[in-house]
Amino acid sequence: MSNERPKYAVIPAPKGRLEPTDLVIAKFLGAPSRRWTEFVAENFVYIAAEPGSRIWVDECWVDNEWALCARYRDQADEAFGMRVVDLHVPREPSTLSDPLVRGGRHASARSQARHLLDGVPDDGQDVVVGWTEQDGRRWWGIPPAAGWPSVLEPANNVAAFSWPPPRHPHRRTTDAHRRLAQTFAAIESPRWSERALSACLNSLLISHTAARIAVEDAWAEDEWTFAVVYQDPWHDVARRIGLRRSTYERDSNTFYKMQYGGGLTCPPDPTRFGQDVAECDIGEPLGTIAEHLRADANGIHWWGDRPLQPPQGPVAH
């Protein structure tokens, strides 16, 4: 049996329809669950492609046991697979392998898909791995009756979905961004700042919210600090923007965590910190911060603190 990516007859978005059909589960009570699962799958792929989604769906299909199967990547570009059964049964989520919708007879395919997406783990530490493909993709959920490898057999799958086409055809990924991401990912014994910066750069490569961002440069300043220089075409005040972020607060000798605050006695997870900087800082509009940017001699407008020293360590140009 081959573990190569399976080839399915993908069902595209019907012409003239702007979004998938959203039906309530009551219309399917007493009927086979295949059609209900297909409606949920359509909506699942559609919602996952919306800006701000935590995952990017590579493939989604329904198998001959009426389970929803999907291959997806998280913001760190880690690859996972999921297989969820009994989607026609509305109940409270119980485990990571059973993130079903809560509600009753009025639960809809859209709400079911949204609750399912909310329950999808996007951090490798949260995944209860049931099987790992040869390429390293980790699968979680309920295995098929014939065992995990059979999930990839096209003969066992009845319908695949692609909805909608890529939302960001004008993604502005630069060659410098790709080189930087490769450089920092290749460091054998990275410092905390280099791990965080690597996660930030990788997240920006696939981010929905930061698709318009063009990264020019990035570097690790010291053990706890990194900087990113980027362009934002939607920002009229300054096209070259610099952001410096550090987890270490020198005055209090404590650490800072994004979306939490300071006062920590130990540094936060660098991967999560870097992803949060990409999504919550670089990917979001500057708003009133634009009124307080500080330009340096190179025409870079900084928010946060300006760098204390020139770039150090591996920098790709």
Side-chain angles (χ1 to χ4, degrees), residues 252-301:
S252 60
N253 193 31
T254 58
F255 295 90
Y256 170 84
K257 181 179 180 181
M258 292 286 295
Q259 301 185 16
Y260 174 83
L264 302 178
T265 57
C266 59
D269 175 69
T271 298
R272 180 61 63 184
F273 188 95
Q275 292 171 346
D276 286 344
V277 169
E279 291 295 319
C280 303
D281 282 343
I282 298 175
E284 293 292 334
L286 290 178
T288 57
I289 293 175
E291 302 173 4
H292 306 285
L293 297 174
R294 298 174 297 281
D296 64 14
N298 297 316
I300 301 173
H301 292 71

Side-chain angles (χ1 to χ4, degrees), residues 8 61 63 69 83 131 139 144 147-153 156-157:
Y8 304 119
W61 66 92
D63 67 18
C69 306
R83 184 177 185 274
W131 177 59
W139 281 80
W148 271 118
S150 67
V151 76
L152 299 182
E153 287 295 320
N156 297 331
N157 304 308

